[in-house]
Amino acid sequence: MSGAAHAGDSYLTHGRGLRSWLLTVDHKRIGVMYLGVIVGTLILGGVFALALRLHLWNAGGGLVSNDTYNRLFTLHGAVMVFLFVIPGIPSALGNFVLPLQVGAKDVAFPRVNLLSFYLYLAGAVLFLVTLVVGGLDTGWTLYPPYSLEGARGLGILIALVGVFLAGFSSILTGVNFIATIHKLRAPGMGWFDLPLFLWALYATAIIQILATPVLGITAALGFMERLFHLGLFMPEYGGDPVLFQHFFWFYSHPAVYIMILPAMGIVSEVVSVFSRKPIFGYRFIAMSSLAIAVIGFLVWGHHMFVSGQSQWANLVFSFLTLLVAIPSAIKTFNWLATMYKGAIILKTPMVYVLTFFAIFGVGGLTGLFLGILATDIPLHDTYFVVAHFHFVMVGAVMIAFLAGVHYWWPKMTGRLYDERLGVTSAVLVFLGFNLTFIPQFIVGIAGMPRRYATYAVEFQGQNRLSTVGAFVLTAGLVLALWGLLASLGKAGARAPRNPWGAASLEWQAESPPSHHNFEVPPDGVSPYDYTTLKELPGDQGWVVVGKREVA
Amino acid sequence: MSQLHLPLQHLLLGQTSYLPERASSVAEGADHIFLSLFWISAVSLALIIGVTIVFVVRYRRRPGRMDPEASPDHSTRLEIIWSVIPLLLVMAVFVASTQVYQAMVNAPPGADVQQVRVSAKKWSWQFDHPGGKKDKDVHLVLGQPTELLMISTDVIHSLYVPQWRLKQDVVPGRYTRLLVTPTKAGSFPIVCTEYCGTNHSQMNAVAVVHADQAEYQAWAAEGRGADLSLVEVGRKAFDDQGCSACHAVEKPEGQDDGIGPSLFGRWGGTEQLVGGGTAKFDENYVRESIVKPGAKVVKGYDDVMPASALEERELLGLIAYLQTLVPGRGQDDGEQGERHEQGERKEKAQ
């Protein structure tokens, strides 16, 4: 049963040389390539963030000019949102895990999957090009008229093409995931035998397919408005800038759920496996993913409460926004109930997930302040908003991403990372994260607007705390990366087939899986039935004893 | 005002006055909503973190406790309880918030609302006060409901006064409104909260709230330059553009014989449009009718009006001028303008 016996025949060694990677249609290699590029974009966006925080050490700024600061925060936001947070979990981890979890050989359309990767890569390269041609200083939200003014130069056009391409990558991934889940499930695997990570990816894919085209259209219209003055968004040609905001948020609010739903999927997997108990309220968690995906389409107007939108529209959007809070609350309570009377194992993925509960709690609850009109009007576009969405997009999503990378690392690489390094990194990330963003809530409440290159001196103390926090957070991330990469060295411990005692199908494959994933196509199983798993001594993982319940 | 004097006390020190001071009629209501949300969140978060810690400590896998205990894997009753309780809580806050929000955007019926016209550009503000005085800061009177009618001449800006708990985007191509009733005299910072380029963080102004009408009038009378008031700018644009060739301004509809509708007494009314539908004769309607005359044509008239290329200030001026064409309401504005002209003449005479 040990993975080492088959190590010579894994997907990593099936075909050698750069060409065999660049032209691969194997979902596992594509997932690994995504992971590499996505971590690269995280590092790039992180370097921008550190530069921003250093600049804000003094109230008067001073490290860089206002214009440079504006370019830095724009690229930080755009790179992190479009290249890291949105594709991060679905494209990197989803690609690797999804076919394994349904017991398939690959995704439904492997070549489309490779195309999707190169579209994403092209989008990422174009973002780097905008950096070279002088940067972009519009904010990641790209609001016209500012973004489409002549003075913005080439950067905006290149960035819009980049957004367009990255969007298409996202759409194709969504199509692939939906087709795979519908058509390639293992024999006997019904919809309610899907691991919850797949329900999350399925709900995500629906949003990717329905919302992302609007982003593509908006980017294309912006491009044409800039070149041909169609009169869509620019008042000087007869257009309306608020129309752009409607288009933009019709995508970008559901995009928040493209980010958070897969994160919730990882949390569902990890909390069950490391509590040794079936997930509590499986159907409620699965259906709440779909509920979030559907209601998430109807709340975009809450980004525009002070845009001049009618007060009745504001009230309706506020009401619908509050409804989204409920499925998120349902998930949280079900996760906690899963731990009740469990046998909780505090390994790295679980430690990350425990910190996720607190951070997602803050992120979700502070969302209420921004969904309620009487509090959004004062807080809108202040640092309170910055802190809120970092709690959701960075805190919750990035931490779930880290949990997922650690969780599936043995499957992806066939190696076990060092637990002490992993747990230490989780604690450092948690502390650094809170130190960075809690002070931003406070300055936001006191009235400090966002996207400010300079600020009132009263806010300096909190800003300095935030800067220190950013470096602690960075230390945690570097430690996590180090712990993972070190396991790839000669000394890295070999991973068994099932190191965590998980019951879903990917753990029946070798670590790392063979090119074909499974030597014998598996039958569907109950993904959260741990009763037949027994732990072997040492680092040999878990094996099945007795007969598994067939789904 | 380069430095903003915002009070900042540390939330973590247990002080509850970390919010900016309350200086408008809606600030207290907004703070009540804020604080109720704060306590709902604090209790929920304490619950989540507390349960997490207790479970991890009690149910940790350890020698002698290697397997989970039997417990149900679902409970519809629990699901309903923990869906309905949060739902009721947020809906209660939503209802309370709606009252505050209504007070933020609608003046109480019968209130005498003064209008200040605001135009924003990178990176400064310009305020045209009733009576004709133009300034880079806004001057208001304590307790006087005031509407800021705002437009941008370039990109989107946003006017925010933390002490008022009020904020409104300022958009090019359409007027937006911010309604405020100041409840504290003094000076408060105006900051821009919609990103607008290089000096976004320095696009500051001051909201000066005068303790009474006399103090305000003293300010309004002092040092008024040779600039035309908005009403005068509007009247001049009306003449220069030849608007009077088609639009009467002294006779009401029916007694005129203009090619276009008479503009007398029309402000605030409702227009019947060609092709059905109605339009309120307000700032955005007037602006659209000048910039894109064919967009909403009044019933009974032909779509013959040419578009005019006017400065934003001339458009604001025309709007201000049209408001004076209603007996009663806009008269003040005109009279105050007259008063100032007399004042100037006196100054010149001296």
Side-chain angles (χ1 to χ4, degrees):
Chain A
M1 293 299 281
S2 162
H6 293 270
D9 189 29
S10 82
Y11 80 97
L12 291 168
T13 52
H14 183 89
R16 288 178 188 278
L18 193 60
R19 201 182 141 85
S20 78
W21 277 85
L22 295 182
L23 297 179
T24 184
V25 291
D26 181 349
H27 70 98
K28 299 181 289 299
R29 286 190 165 195
I30 292 173
V32 169
M33 291 196 293
Y34 263 120
L35 186 62
V37 181
I38 278 164
V39 169
T41 63
L42 173 63
I43 293 170
L44 182 68
V47 168
F48 291 143
L50 290 178
L52 293 173
R53 286 309 332 164
L54 281 177
H55 176 80
L56 295 173
W57 183 259
N58 288 317
L63 183 68
V64 294
S65 70
N66 284 5
D67 285 330
T68 306
Y69 177 86
N70 295 342
R71 289 191 194 103
L72 281 172
F73 81 67
T74 299
L75 281 163
H76 165 70
V79 165
M80 286 298 205
V81 170
F82 291 117
L83 301 181
F84 172 65
V85 200
I86 288 177
I89 298 175
S91 295
L93 298 175
N95 250 315
F96 189 94
V97 172
L98 182 141
L100 287 163
Q101 282 197 333
V102 295
K105 180 186 175 301
D106 208 317
V107 290
F109 311 113
R111 285 187 180 80
V112 172
N113 203 18
L114 185 66
L115 173 63
S116 170
F117 172 72
Y118 281 111
L119 286 174
Y120 166 75
L121 196 63
V125 168
L126 286 180
F127 272 92
L128 290 179
V129 173
T130 59
L131 193 64
V132 176
V133 299
L136 187 66
D137 69 339
T138 61
W140 78 277
T141 47
L142 305 169
Y143 277 12
Y146 188 80
S147 64
L148 299 179
E149 286 183 325
R152 301 285 86 72
L154 261 184
I156 179 71
L157 294 177
I158 299 171
L160 286 172
V161 177
V163 167
F164 189 85
L165 293 178
F168 260 86
S169 163
S170 188
I171 295 169
L172 295 180
T173 299
V175 169
N176 232 329
F177 284 5
I178 286 186
T180 308
I181 292 173
H182 270 276
K183 305 306 287 183
L184 298 182
R185 298 197 306 278
M189 182 183 273
W191 280 91
F192 290 110
D193 302 314
L194 287 177
L196 286 166
F197 183 55
L198 296 189
W199 270 107
L201 286 180
Y202 188 83
T204 305
I206 291 174
I207 308 174
Q208 285 175 314
I209 290 177
L210 294 181
T212 317
V214 178
L215 176 74
I217 292 164
T218 311
L221 291 177
F223 190 89
M224 290 193 285
E225 175 81 341
R226 172 74 178 75
L227 285 186
F228 307 121
H229 305 169
L230 299 182
L232 298 162
F233 307 133
M234 298 291 279
E236 55 184 303
Y237 316 131
D240 183 355
V242 179
L243 176 66
F244 176 92
Q245 297 179 23
H246 279 287
F247 282 177
F248 181 83
W249 290 114
F250 186 85
Y251 165 75
S252 293
H253 193 79
V256 175
Y257 302 111
I258 294 181
M259 306 168 195
I260 192 71
L261 280 171
M264 292 166 156
I266 290 174
V267 170
S268 298
E269 298 296 303
V270 169
V271 77
S272 168
V273 170
F274 290 87
S275 301
R276 313 303 311 146
K277 267 187 61 196
I279 190 86
F280 190 88
Y282 174 96
R283 283 175 190 238
F284 278 88
I285 295 184
M287 290 305 122
S288 64
S289 285
L290 291 184
I292 288 173
V294 172
I295 306 170
F297 271 103
L298 307 174
V299 303
W300 78 89
H302 69 215
H303 294 271
M304 301 165 61
F305 283 161
V306 299
S307 70
Q309 179 172 263
S310 92
Q311 54 177 301
W312 305 112
N314 279 352
L315 284 170
V316 170
F317 279 121
S318 171
F319 178 81
L320 291 168
T321 299
L322 297 175
L323 293 185
V324 188
I326 306 309
S328 302
I330 290 175
K331 280 180 192 278
T332 305
F333 294 133
N334 278 298
W335 292 325
L336 295 179
T338 302
M339 295 197 295
Y340 175 67
K341 292 194 175 179
I344 297 168
I345 303 172
L346 288 181
K347 292 207 164 156
T348 306
M350 187 62 170
V351 177
Y352 272 113
V353 163
L354 295 174
T355 66
F356 172 97
F357 292 153
I359 286 176
F360 179 66
V362 175
L365 290 162
T366 52
L368 295 176
F369 291 74
L370 302 174
I372 293 271
L373 283 159
T375 40
D376 178 71
I377 287 174
L379 295 174
H380 194 91
D381 270 327
T382 67
Y383 257 87
F384 189 93
V385 177
V386 176
H388 158 70
F389 73 69
H390 278 91
F391 263 79
V392 177
M393 287 158 58
V394 186
V397 179
M398 189 184 71
I399 281 175
F401 173 78
L402 289 167
V405 169
H406 281 91
Y407 179 62
W408 283 301
W409 187 258
K411 188 55 63 187
M412 299 177 99
T413 63
R415 302 299 180 97
L416 290 172
Y417 59 84
D418 185 312
E419 277 295 339
R420 277 169 314 168
L421 285 178
V423 171
T424 313
S425 77
V427 172
L428 266 182
V429 165
F430 179 71
L431 295 178
F433 179 83
N434 283 297
L435 188 56
T436 310
F437 292 105
I438 287 176
Q440 297 188 6
F441 279 123
I442 296 168
V443 292
I445 292 165
M448 177 172 165
R450 66 190 285 202
R451 296 177 168 175
Y452 262 29
T454 57
Y455 55 90
V457 74
E458 287 85 347
F459 303 131
Q460 192 168 268
Q462 302 285 355
N463 271 284
R464 289 186 169 183
L465 278 181
S466 186
T467 301
V468 172
F471 281 90
V472 177
L473 175 58
T474 306
L477 292 173
V478 169
L479 194 66
L481 187 65
W482 167 251
L484 291 168
L485 293 181
S487 74
L488 299 179
K490 284 211 161 65
R494 297 295 186 276
R497 201 182 270 246
N498 191 352
W500 317 124
S504 49
L505 282 180
E506 75 269 32
W507 303 102
Q508 288 188 22
E510 300 295 340
S511 296
S514 68
H515 177 64
H516 295 288
N517 290 354
F518 303 96
E519 287 87 282
V520 182
D523 287 331
V525 292
S526 298
Y528 303 110
D529 173 19
Y530 305 109
T531 50
T532 57
L533 286 156
K534 283 281 170 293
E535 191 176 18
L536 300 175
D539 271 340
Q540 298 182 72
W542 299 62
V543 291
V544 177
V545 292
K547 199 164 175 295
R548 294 222 40 193
E549 185 193 332
V550 176
Chain B
M1 188 164 181
S2 61
Q3 285 186 359
L4 310 178
H5 299 290
L6 301 176
L8 179 68
Q9 277 133 8
H10 209 298
L11 173 62
L12 302 177
L13 295 178
Q15 286 162 320
T16 50
S17 55
Y18 51 90
L19 289 155
E21 73 173 301
R22 297 168 186 164
S24 82
S25 57
V26 294
E28 192 173 352
D31 283 1
H32 281 158
I33 306 291
F34 178 88
L35 290 171
S36 40
L37 280 174
F38 178 82
W39 286 112
I40 289 174
S41 304
V43 171
S44 310
L45 191 66
L47 198 75
I48 293 170
I49 294 176
V51 167
T52 305
I53 291 172
V54 168
F55 283 4
V56 167
V57 170
R58 279 186 66 169
Y59 303 126
R60 188 157 177 209
R61 190 168 185 258
R62 51 190 183 260
R65 196 181 176 287
M66 295 302 278
D67 295 309
E69 298 161 47
S71 65
D73 64 1
H74 69 278
S75 158
T76 307
R77 221 179 74 184
L78 268 180
E79 302 284 354
I80 290 169
I81 291 172
W82 63 45
S83 310
V84 170
I85 291 177
L87 184 66
L88 292 178
L89 275 175
V90 295
M91 284 306 138
V93 180
F94 174 75
V95 170
S97 152
T98 300
Q99 286 181 330
V100 176
Y101 174 65
Q102 294 292 348
M104 283 175 163
V105 291
N106 298 315
D112 165 36
V113 180
Q114 288 289 313
Q115 204 178 42
V116 175
R117 284 103 178 177
V118 184
S119 64
K121 63 172 193 210
K122 293 174 192 166
W123 293 281
S124 63
W125 303 88
Q126 183 182 305
F127 299 91
D128 278 291
H129 297 82
K133 187 156 172 175
K134 191 170 88 175
D135 200 74
K136 65 180 176 39
D137 298 320
V138 69
H139 287 252
L140 306 170
V141 181
L142 185 68
Q144 167 65 54
T146 306
E147 179 183 85
L148 306 185
L149 180 79
M150 309 192 287
I151 195 155
S152 164
T153 59
D154 45 36
V155 301
I156 302 175
H157 303 278
S158 190
L159 186 144
Y160 175 43
V161 179
Q163 287 77 1
W164 289 349
R165 309 288 188 274
L166 289 169
K167 178 183 291 129
Q168 174 61 52
D169 283 3
V170 183
V171 183
R174 67 157 79 166
Y175 297 106
T176 56
R177 298 158 203 275
L178 184 142
L179 181 76
V180 59
T181 307
T183 55
K184 267 215 169 88
S187 292
F188 305 96
I190 291 173
V191 292
C192 178
T193 44
E194 185 63 59
Y195 172 69
C196 58
T198 311
N199 285 343
H200 168 54
S201 64
Q202 284 117 36
M203 187 169 161
N204 304 324
V206 184
V208 180
V209 178
H210 294 282
D212 53 36
Q213 194 70 35
E215 191 186 306
Y216 173 79
Q217 289 300 347
W219 166 80
E222 108 200 353
R224 193 178 152 228
D227 295 347
L228 296 177
S229 75
L230 264 188
V231 175
E232 291 157 350
V233 168
R235 192 180 290 135
K236 186 169 183 304
F238 195 84
D239 293 340
D240 292 351
Q241 297 287 323
C243 307
S244 53
C246 302
H247 294 286
V249 290
E250 280 155 357
K251 292 178 185 163
E253 185 82 359
Q255 297 170 28
D256 69 322
D257 49 1
I259 296 166
S262 163
L263 300 173
F264 183 81
R266 269 199 137 81
W267 185 264
T270 303
E271 298 295 338
Q272 302 294 322
L273 301 178
V274 166
T278 58
K280 185 160 185 272
F281 197 102
D282 64 2
E283 291 89 350
N284 275 314
Y285 171 73
V286 171
R287 190 180 188 284
E288 184 184 38
S289 299
I290 299 169
V291 177
K292 277 193 273 184
K296 292 188 181 110
V297 179
V298 175
K299 209 171 196 166
Y301 294 91
D302 294 330
D303 176 12
V304 293
M305 178 167 154
S308 310
L310 292 171
E311 302 275 317
E312 281 301 338
R313 191 166 164 73
E314 291 174 304
L315 290 166
L316 272 173
L318 280 168
I319 288 163
Y321 171 58
L322 292 186
Q323 280 174 279
T324 67
L325 301 180
V326 181
R329 180 182 160 174
Q331 214 79 50
D332 291 351
D333 215 22
E335 276 173 12
Q336 280 176 18
E338 290 300 319
R339 261 207 310 276
H340 284 292
E341 277 172 18
Q342 285 165 6
E344 273 163 42
R345 271 197 291 276
K346 231 181 275 171
E347 277 166 32
K348 275 175 200 157
Q350 285 165 0

